[in-house]
Amino acid sequence: MISSPEGDGVAPDAEREASIPSDAERAPPPAEAAEPAGSPSAPAASRDEPVALSAPVESAEPGPDPERLRARFGRPFEAGDVIFREGEPGTEAYLLEEGRVRLIKKVRGAERSLMVLKPGDLFGESALLGGAARSSTAIALSRGVALALDQGTLQNLVERNPAVAMRIIKQLVGRLRDAEDQIEIMMLTDTQSKVVNALLKLAQQSRATGGAASNGASFAISPMELSTRVGLDVDTVKRAVQQLREGQYLRVADERLEIPDIEALRRLFGLLGLKDEIRGEQ
């Protein structure tokens, strides 16, 4: 059940997020602006292909009717609503149809971002294991709708629609890859190294999906999503990105990050690692 955050001890998370200003702008970076509702930008934790039950399904079985699914299973929410809370018993997974949702987890009393979800993402699926408690808290960043699917409903969709099953598998595999990447990033001690490493991985994924030209790459990611990937606060990430812009390792245009030369950024990462090793020996 989606609940309002008022008086429940969890801060509403219609959080204002700073956008990285375009290189065409001459003024200093602006103050943080509200995250646009239902933004179509790519996620911090990039996915191979989002789960989308409304997409055409190539199988002998008729595809699910999006309107019927929404009418029966749709759960609307407003910005700041708590969709579910860490520690609660869970019986339903959620498929995000509209809006944006942030997953957070308490670590030693502090709230840490896990990921920012976008339409097509499946979340809360661990509750379908049976008797499992929620491992994180889901807070809406904007108005939207999610489909609440119990174990039987999700199993029926997967069995009747192989394309849906494959999309779910791809998303879970992508999430595992992202978790491994985050572990690698967390092992780095230098702030700039964390950001550069994350950007290199995003660039590689962009090139793998055809979103690159020549020896560069271009992808959309918000400051909040990047901060979630590297485990740093948004302001620290913005400063690191600005330093990379000043060094001409990346550009910002049309709400996208552009890396003109991936090899140059990779060499920088190597130099940062060498610098860290020298510092550790002193």
Side-chain angles (χ1 to χ4, degrees):
M1 180 177 182
I2 300 172
S3 61
S4 170
E6 294 182 4
D8 56 17
V10 177
D13 226 358
E15 181 172 312
R16 293 187 173 275
E17 174 191 347
S19 59
I20 301 175
S22 169
D23 284 325
E25 300 172 3
R26 300 295 185 182
E32 293 188 355
E35 179 73 15
S39 171
S41 59
S46 179
R47 308 287 186 272
D48 290 336
E49 184 177 3
V51 179
L53 298 185
S54 57
V57 178
E58 298 177 1
S59 66
E61 295 289 345
D65 185 339
E67 293 302 323
R68 290 183 60 188
L69 285 173
R70 179 172 294 203
R72 183 174 179 182
F73 303 108
R75 301 290 189 274
F77 53 79
E78 298 291 332
D81 281 356
V82 178
I83 298 174
F84 57 74
R85 195 183 311 280
E86 183 178 356
E88 290 180 344
T91 59
E92 298 173 319
Y94 290 88
L95 181 66
L96 190 58
E97 287 280 284
E98 295 178 8
R100 292 164 66 84
V101 172
R102 182 185 182 195
L103 296 184
I104 63 173
K105 186 175 182 64
K106 280 194 174 182
V107 180
R108 295 181 179 177
E111 293 181 350
R112 304 294 184 186
S113 293
L114 296 179
M115 65 181 66
V116 176
L117 304 165
K118 298 178 179 64
D121 282 346
L122 181 73
F123 62 105
E125 67 277 6
S126 61
L128 300 180
L129 296 176
R134 300 292 188 188
S135 59
S136 61
T137 297
I139 299 180
L141 290 175
S142 67
R143 174 183 296 181
V145 177
L147 301 183
L149 307 173
D150 60 25
Q151 187 172 12
T153 301
L154 186 60
Q155 181 175 342
N156 182 58
L157 285 172
V158 169
E159 290 177 349
R160 292 172 58 86
N161 299 277
V164 171
M166 182 56 64
R167 286 170 181 154
I168 291 176
I169 291 172
K170 285 185 176 182
Q171 183 177 121
L172 295 178
V173 170
R175 194 169 294 176
L176 177 60
R177 178 200 62 208
D178 292 340
E180 293 174 344
D181 288 347
Q182 286 183 315
I183 291 173
E184 178 183 336
I185 292 170
M186 296 304 175
M187 294 175 68
L188 300 172
T189 57
D190 178 63
T191 296
Q192 195 76 345
S193 294
K194 290 175 182 285
V195 174
V196 171
N197 183 277
L199 293 175
L200 283 172
K201 292 183 181 300
L202 289 167
Q204 292 168 357
Q205 293 171 17
S206 176
R207 292 186 66 85
T209 56
S214 64
N215 61 339
S218 173
F219 48 86
I221 186 169
S222 71
M224 180 187 291
E225 291 165 337
L226 186 55
S227 71
T228 297
R229 293 186 71 91
V230 301
L232 299 170
D233 62 84
V234 173
D235 288 337
T236 299
V237 168
K238 287 180 61 183
R239 287 193 294 269
V241 169
Q242 181 60 31
Q243 290 174 3
L244 292 173
R245 291 174 64 184
E246 293 171 353
Q248 298 184 353
Y249 290 101
L250 62 80
R251 296 191 293 264
V252 180
D254 298 329
E255 300 182 353
R256 296 178 66 86
L257 290 183
E258 295 181 359
I259 300 176
D261 190 338
I262 295 177
E263 287 305 316
L265 191 63
R266 187 171 286 115
R267 289 193 295 270
L268 174 63
F269 181 67
L271 291 174
L272 290 171
L274 181 60
K275 178 181 177 181
D276 195 44
E277 289 180 9
I278 295 174
R279 186 186 300 114
E281 293 175 357
Q282 294 178 348

